Amino acid sequence: MSTLRLQKRLASAVMKCGKNKVWLDPNETNEINNANSRQNIRKLIKDGLIIRKPVVIHSRWRVRRNAIARRKGRHTGPGKRKGTANARMPTLLEQTFY
């Protein structure tokens, strides 16, 4: 098994993405190994031997669920508080409301 480090680096530069987003066909390692120029890499991309992986979805579902719970007053007890009461809601601001 030869390392395809150069090919992966060139492919990421050609496709304008990171190296983790580059997929090299494991069945065609010999043909990919022969590609040593950007032109050869472009040909392999066109042939489908090198593919750009899709973007991984980063779901905000848990954040929204926790935000709804916080509106109801959950997760806000003394164990969750880091700052002083004045840091959390300044007394100067409270005075301006009245």
Side-chain angles (χ1 to χ4, degrees), residues 20-58:
N20 280 353
K21 284 279 175 263
V22 175
W23 179 82
L24 306 173
D25 193 341
N27 301 323
E28 303 291 340
T29 51
N30 291 333
E31 193 172 339
I32 294 171
N33 196 26
N34 293 334
N36 58 1
S37 68
R38 286 167 190 266
Q39 196 63 46
N40 293 352
I41 295 293
R42 282 190 197 97
K43 181 187 171 298
L44 292 176
I45 291 168
K46 199 177 83 173
D47 295 345
L49 301 184
I50 298 175
I51 297 173
R52 182 177 182 164
K53 289 188 204 170
V55 175
V56 179
I57 295 169
H58 189 170

